[in-house]
Amino acid sequence: MSRVITIGAAQLGPIARDESRSEVVERLVGLLDQAARAGCDVVAFPEMALTTFFPRWFTPEVDGHDHYFEKSMPNPEVRPLFDEARRLGVGFSLGYAELTPDGHRYNTTILVERDGRIVGKYRKVHIPGHDEDEPWRPFQHLERRYFEESSEGFHVWRAFDGLVGLATCNDRRWPETYREMGLQGVELILIGYNTPMFYAPDPGQNALQGFHNHLVMQAGAYQNGTWVVGVAKGGIEEGVESLAQSAIIAPSGQIVAQAVTTGDELITARADLDWCDHYKTTLFNFDRYRRLDQYKRITTQRGVILPEAREPGPEPA
Ligand code: ING
């Protein structure tokens, strides 16, 4: 019996700096209702889906943005989303800023099954940007100031009749992210992102943001035989233009659904999880074809080590 599920990606437009949690949750519930009417089993919401992307502003104290963090999950403001999901029998992933009771800050995503239970929690591993104020930038990207790098790794959970994994934004640019979950048999990876169109370290990349976004997720899907959902918080958020172009990608690497606006928009696709085996049992049969003895650098070396410079010697005979 094939395992066909209906996946939703609930793209969000901008969330204003002073937009309340309950105003945002109302938008999320509206998208969830749309998803239920479209027959979705699971809906992916973006990274930091409850607040504006606050790392764009510097605060002298690291706790200066703590009002944007969730101290518990669920909590009274978010509870309506959990209640509606359980009533509708639709699961979801949700990204938010997490402040733990012992004072750690993570860029976190949870996976909630159709009965409203939290079945997975992922804390972002690859934290981009910088940790001190850099006034030369038109806006900051201070994720490394406000979030710790998680050392809890990438997990895959049994959910929605398959094997489901989570990743967040910058994680999607690193092939290791997908392979770590591919080696756990992942069949569906849900990835939320907040990606400014303007990349201060190299503005030449600005025009390629959409291309790079799909490139890395399509490659990750194909090379690991998994469905991938990329869901944006897009549009012009507090003056910063952010990439939308949410997409649902099949194990073949093909985009099967894509957002056409930069606002709140639900896209859906029927996903046969058994399609993953077309790649997992052939081209990307890891157990048969991977050469662990040839990949030492990947887990033992962090940065580049250049080959020795060769002294000009006698011409080879
Ligand atoms: N955002 C970015 C990402 O990797 C970034 C980092 C910023 C990339 C600006 C390009 C331009 O998509 C997050 N939140 O990781």
Side-chain angles (χ1 to χ4, degrees), residues 47-48 53 107 124 126-129 139 141 143 168-173 193-201 205-206 209:
E47 169 192 36
M48 289 170 63
F53 188 78
N107 188 335
K124 189 173 178 180
H126 297 99
I127 305 292
F139 53 87
H141 199 97
E143 286 195 62
T168 306
C169 205
N170 196 251
D171 288 324
R172 76 191 187 285
R173 300 179 191 276
Y193 58 86
N194 287 247
T195 299
M197 293 303 289
F198 183 83
Y199 185 54
Q205 297 181 32
N206 295 357
Q209 289 296 359

Side-chain angles (χ1 to χ4, degrees), residues 262-284:
T262 58
D264 290 12
E265 178 183 346
L266 177 76
I267 57 173
T268 66
R270 285 180 63 69
D272 186 337
L273 298 180
D274 292 334
W275 284 358
C276 297
D277 280 348
H278 288 298
Y279 295 89
K280 290 182 189 294
T281 64
T282 60
L283 272 170
F284 298 112

